[in-house]
Amino acid sequence: MLSLSLSSLSVLLPILLYAAVATASVQFLKLPLLHSSQHHIQTSLSHYRHHRHRQNLKSPVISGAFAGSGQYFVSLHIGSPPQALLLVADTGSDLIWVKCSACRNCSLHSPRSTFFPRHSSSFYPHHCFQRTCRNLAPPPQPNPCNRTKLHSPCRYEYPYADGSLTSGFFSQEIITFNTTTSQQLQLKHFNFGCGFHNSGPSVTGESFNGANGVMGLGRGPISFSSQLGRRFGNKFSYCLMDYTLSPTPTSFLVIGSEQNDVVGVNSKINFTALLVNPLSPTFYYIGIKSVYLNDVKLPIHPSVWSIDELGNGGTIIDSGTTLTLLAAPAYREILAAFKRQVKLPSPAEPIQGFDLCVNISGTSRPSYPKLSFELVGGSVLRPPQGNYFIETSELVECLAMQPINQESGPSVIGNLMQQGFLFEFDRDRSRLGFSHHGCAIR
């Protein structure tokens, strides 16, 4: 979910939360992800801008077609006693927030639908005089406090690009993880937003079904990966397995380094630099050099992929957006190339939201041109065709790409395009690793 409002096709992937111990000296948090079999065109949740004994966290990603949402969820246990809530896992925003209720008699609220601060003995709202509150909104964003409000609770407002908004109190809690050894791991002083007012399609609409909040995994200091990075290593990774398989393979989000799991994968992992955009510091930018279809380079000018002096453009990796969204000049070239080479008939009725759809009733295994992205540093991302042609209705498949709907917004590699790959976000080395061989052993 970008900090920009972007339209995308979503598939629900809740993440169940576990902590596991790999060795005596290396611990990790491993979170399972859940995925929905239902499709929805949805708004992405991008935030509007603008050591050897190190422990690690790991959890699986499992298919869950119960809510019909279209996002990846994390089951986070918050408070004392712990309250379990499902949060959208989002590399395109920083804030962790949950729906909160101030009710005294909560009989009208179903369990796990919201977080009840009154039911937690460890809930603590930050106050304006605290540095944590002042760091909540780095420049150029407005500070939520002024000198007359130093002893007031620290309020936050976090907007998304489509006008959606969450607001409430920036707070502190204890989060709890269940380990594979039937023990509990608790992390104290966890900062999050207790959202009492949430509005807009990104955080209340159909695409948000089943979610109780958002887990921001961005590069900012208040994100989940940044807060846990201080304890579990400044690195995280995930695998998003093919949700069309039955039974759906388990996927995982890992906070920290999981050395044992990448043995044998290191030689096959590719790296590209994570670029920095000072005007949009939340996002994980990568550099695209060229796009190929059946190994033929498409005539897309390199400037289409670059970040300009105003911080516009570029390309980001985002787990909270499902479709791949491209700058209009690039999208037009890719769409035209696919239309020239795909010879299957069109469906009887157009499919809303897609510019290229085909009727596959006459073939048992449709074949599409091979798409590849050449990245900065020389590595090449070659997604399988199921990552960019998806079934939208019975016997109809569509190109899972759209043009970005903001002229200045970044292009987005969405979670469908990421399926079947291990992606490793190495923040200390500022690089993104990816491998088509790293998920099967998880």
Side-chain angles (χ1 to χ4, degrees), residues 274-334:
L274 285 172
L275 308 180
V276 176
N277 182 353
L279 297 179
S280 293
T282 293
F283 299 147
Y284 296 99
Y285 285 88
I286 60 171
I288 294 179
K289 295 178 63 177
S290 304
V291 180
Y292 294 79
L293 209 60
N294 280 343
D295 297 324
V296 176
K297 183 178 177 180
L298 300 183
I300 302 172
H301 196 275
S303 63
V304 171
W305 308 113
S306 62
I307 303 171
D308 67 20
E309 65 278 4
L310 299 177
N312 300 321
T315 304
I316 67 172
I317 295 283
D318 184 19
S319 64
T321 299
T322 307
L323 295 183
T324 288
L325 308 170
L326 301 174
Y331 177 75
R332 287 194 296 267
E333 291 292 345
I334 293 173

Side-chain angles (χ1 to χ4, degrees), residues 353-369:
F354 297 93
D355 293 319
L356 175 58
C357 296
V358 294
N359 186 325
I360 61 171
S361 59
T363 176
S364 58
R365 300 188 67 181
S367 179
Y368 301 104

Side-chain angles (χ1 to χ4, degrees), residues 66-99:
F66 60 88
S69 167
Q71 294 292 352
Y72 291 93
F73 291 134
V74 180
S75 177
L76 193 65
H77 296 73
I78 305 177
S80 304
Q83 301 176 40
L85 299 169
L86 288 177
L87 277 62
V88 174
D90 182 24
T91 59
S93 64
D94 291 326
L95 180 69
I96 308 112
W97 65 270
V98 298
K99 296 178 183 178

Side-chain angles (χ1 to χ4, degrees), residues 149-303:
K149 299 180 179 179
L150 289 181
H151 294 281
S152 299
C154 178
R155 296 179 180 271
Y156 77 89
E157 284 193 354
Y158 203 77
Y160 296 93
D162 67 337
S164 297
L165 179 75
T166 175
S167 63
F169 297 122
F170 195 52
S171 309
Q172 189 176 95
E173 258 294 5
I174 293 174
I175 58 174
T176 304
F177 304 101
N178 296 323
T179 70
T180 54
T181 57
S182 299
Q183 297 177 338
Q184 286 190 332
L185 170 66
Q186 285 193 334
L187 299 179
K188 299 180 179 179
H189 313 301
F190 179 76
N191 299 314
F192 74 109
C194 200
F196 289 101
H197 302 285
N198 311 298
S199 62
S202 287
V203 298
T204 61
E206 187 178 63
S207 67
F208 209 65
N209 285 352
N212 309 120
V214 174
M215 175 183 283
L217 291 165
R219 303 179 86 165
I222 62 173
S223 76
F224 186 78
S225 51
S226 295
Q227 290 192 55
L228 271 65
R230 291 186 285 270
R231 176 167 179 175
F232 297 96
N234 203 20
K235 180 188 294 186
F236 71 93
S237 62
Y238 57 68
C239 287
L240 308 180
M241 303 300 289
D242 187 349
Y243 71 93
T244 64
L245 299 178
S246 183
T248 303
T250 299
S251 303
F252 293 93
L253 169 68
V254 177
I255 306 296
S257 296
E258 193 183 5
Q259 297 295 336
N260 286 357
D261 270 17
V262 296
V263 171
V265 176
N266 286 337
S267 61
K268 299 177 181 178
I269 197 165
N270 299 286
F271 292 98
T272 190
L274 285 172
L275 308 180
V276 176
N277 182 353
L279 297 179
S280 293
T282 293
F283 299 147
Y284 296 99
Y285 285 88
I286 60 171
I288 294 179
K289 295 178 63 177
S290 304
V291 180
Y292 294 79
L293 209 60
N294 280 343
D295 297 324
V296 176
K297 183 178 177 180
L298 300 183
I300 302 172
H301 196 275
S303 63

